[in-house]
Amino acid sequence: MDNPTDKSLGPPAPAGIPHRPGNSRLLAMLTAAEHGILYLVSFALLALAVGILALMTLTIVQGGVSGAEKIIIILEELLLVLIVLEIFVTVQTHLEGGRLQLEPFIIVGIIAIIRHILSVVVRLTIPVHPAESRQQLTELAIYAGSAFILVTALALTRWSRRRPTPPGTALPDEN
């Protein structure tokens, strides 16, 4: 029930919670604290991405690894940077007032699984005991299945956002 004499700021309190002027100030303080923490997290994520690139470069320059191993290291570290940047973009979207989205987390999961698949593939190139080789192949199959599930989830997420085409309307690529 609206009271024309009510001069309180902010949204009405949920049912069962009395609205007090202090609640609006407390909510504003909590929101400011949340934004402050999110800005700190953003800077930390950028610093982490730069640090990963710096350590990758240092490892490649100093390391006594073969050319193929260098390529795998570079690929794995760049994928890790992509994960960090995807989380950074998610935080930035939230700071800009956007809602938390499922899609970036699915993408991070896909990239992380690809990193693990690369790691297993590299380990499979090294001769080991047959039992350990079977374990690595099982691990590879589980990662591949997980990647398939996440890619399916990503496709479903994107499909669910599509707007239905009204009946009788031609699709853009139809003549």
Side-chain angles (χ1 to χ4, degrees):
M1 311 219 177
D2 291 331
N3 182 356
T5 60
D6 185 17
K7 295 183 173 141
S8 62
L9 300 174
I17 298 176
H19 181 72
R20 297 184 190 117
N23 287 355
S24 295
R25 285 189 295 267
L26 180 60
L27 183 59
M29 288 176 17
L30 289 173
T31 301
E34 175 195 16
H35 279 87
I37 291 170
L38 287 173
Y39 281 114
L40 288 174
V41 167
S42 294
F43 287 120
L45 287 169
L46 283 178
L48 180 62
V50 169
I52 292 169
L53 290 173
L55 285 174
M56 176 194 70
T57 304
L58 189 62
T59 301
I60 296 302
V61 170
Q62 288 182 349
V65 294
S66 71
E69 289 174 341
K70 284 182 182 182
I71 291 171
I72 296 296
I73 290 171
I74 290 170
L75 189 57
E76 282 186 343
E77 297 306 313
L78 289 177
L79 288 172
L80 183 57
V81 169
L82 281 176
I83 290 171
V84 171
L85 290 178
E86 192 66 41
I87 295 169
F88 172 79
V89 168
T90 301
V91 170
Q92 293 303 305
T93 301
H94 185 65
L95 278 169
E96 292 171 352
R99 297 182 71 186
L100 196 58
Q101 300 290 319
L102 178 63
E103 188 173 315
F105 294 102
I106 294 173
I107 292 170
V108 164
I110 292 169
I111 295 169
I113 288 174
I114 290 170
R115 284 188 75 234
H116 287 294
I117 288 173
L118 287 171
S119 175
V120 171
V121 168
V122 168
R123 284 186 281 142
L124 280 171
T125 61
I126 301 168
V128 292
H129 190 270
E132 191 175 334
S133 181
R134 268 193 304 276
Q135 177 189 3
Q136 290 172 347
L137 287 171
T138 302
E139 190 177 341
L140 188 61
I142 291 170
Y143 285 144
S146 299
F148 177 77
I149 289 169
L150 285 176
V151 168
T152 302
L154 180 62
L156 288 173
T157 301
R158 289 183 175 176
W159 176 77
S160 69
R161 285 191 315 208
R162 291 176 48 196
R163 297 197 192 318
T165 306
T169 305
L171 294 175
D173 50 359
E174 290 182 3
N175 292 338

